[in-house]
Amino acid sequence: MTELPILFSAPMVRALLAGTKTQTRRALKSQPPEDHSRLVCGPYSPTVIDRHGEEQPGAEVFGVTTDDGDWGLRCPYGGPGDRLWVRETWATRQGCEAGSDKAKHYTMYRASGGDPADPMNWHDYGGKWRSPIFMPRWASRLTIEVVGVRVERVQDISETDAIAEGVTKIDPAAWVGTKGNFYSDPRLAYRDLYESINGAGSWDKNPYVWVVEFRRIGA
């Protein structure tokens, strides 16, 4: 079993805590060639060059390959059975030894409210939120286990999967996107969410994405 970090925005952390988010989609950093053959997800051994300059199969990793073996990419989120610890926007009490029980106890998270700059705080939190990029393992409060990984075009998302992405439901037939628009189709609400994270026009590019399915297992 491998443990790896993964970043989530505050709204997505809230969906994780509420149990409404069980999937995440992340664009492949390297897209397969346009004329690629069928994509296959699973363990594979990428080719490496040994000290004699010869090609050899490397250590087995989990990722996606073309079935003809001409292209492959390691999944940065591991494979089924691996664990991901969540990085989110955070702040901790100043003067605490990093990783100590006191530092863990006096850590606040943007997704759960509070304000590190609030003068009414009993303790000094440094006056500002810290980027999730710099969250250490000890400060993470959420761990998820990967139960499935596949690769597909982002626009191929189903209604069921859009709901599993944690989009906000406001009544039995309406979903709200991050732009404040209301939709009868959760896939359109997910489109708003995807573009809010990846930038305007990212949905229209229709990239291949990692579809990571997971379950929350606690801290």
Side-chain angles (χ1 to χ4, degrees), residues 29-99:
K29 295 299 184 183
S30 174
Q31 295 286 305
E34 291 186 6
D35 58 349
H36 67 80
S37 59
R38 186 173 66 94
L39 298 177
V40 180
C41 263
Y44 76 101
S45 296
T47 300
V48 297
I49 307 299
D50 66 18
R51 61 191 179 91
H52 303 293
E54 301 291 333
E55 291 187 350
Q56 299 288 344
E60 186 177 86
V61 298
F62 187 93
V64 61
T65 61
T66 52
D67 61 3
D68 59 14
D70 286 346
W71 177 88
L73 185 66
R74 180 176 186 169
C75 179
Y77 310 106
D82 289 332
R83 293 182 176 183
L84 302 171
W85 55 274
V86 174
R87 281 176 160 166
E88 57 180 301
T89 304
W90 64 300
T92 196
R93 177 182 169 184
Q94 300 295 293
C96 290
E97 181 182 351

Side-chain angles (χ1 to χ4, degrees), residues 12-21 88 111-112 141-142 216:
M12 293 300 95
V13 171
R14 286 192 285 271
L16 275 169
L17 291 169
T20 58
K21 184 172 181 65
E88 57 180 301
S112 296
R141 59 174 171 167
L142 290 169
R216 180 184 164 194

